[in-house]
Amino acid sequence: MNLPVITRADVERLLASPGEDPVLYLNDEGGVAKVDVWVSAYVHHAKVLAHRYEVVDAIGDAPDAADVEHYLRLLQQAVEEAADRLE
């Protein structure tokens, strides 16, 4: 599986999501993996990369670029771990 690279835009979409308990997750439908945002109740737990509350706890709800860049490395590791669980 080709792994997607998580970006600042992915984090911004999660922070802006109006859903209740949104998550970043590894969407592997259609054979191409990508990072997506959806409500946690509809996402299999093995695909979840981070809940919004976890991201806000780590970097705040209005993070600066340096905070996001540091956190992206941690999230990329979560992408790799989720991909391993799905194989």
Side-chain angles (χ1 to χ4, degrees):
M1 174 185 315
N2 286 337
L3 298 181
V5 174
I6 196 158
T7 66
R8 180 181 178 93
D10 296 322
V11 173
E12 290 170 350
R13 281 188 307 135
L14 176 66
L15 294 175
S17 175
E20 185 174 324
D21 191 22
V23 294
L24 279 174
Y25 75 102
L26 187 61
N27 182 344
D28 62 339
E29 295 177 14
V32 177
K34 64 180 183 175
V35 175
D36 214 342
V37 175
W38 194 237
V39 178
S40 68
Y42 299 114
V43 178
H44 189 277
H45 69 277
K47 295 181 177 187
V48 172
L49 306 173
H51 290 260
R52 178 172 51 198
Y53 68 83
E54 294 170 323
V55 174
V56 170
D57 284 350
I59 61 174
D61 55 1
D64 65 23
D67 291 336
V68 173
E69 289 304 316
H70 172 73
Y71 199 66
L72 288 177
R73 287 187 224 115
L74 300 174
L75 289 174
Q76 191 63 44
Q77 183 178 357
V79 169
E80 294 165 12
E81 291 168 0
D84 287 344
R85 288 190 300 266
L86 296 174
E87 288 182 348

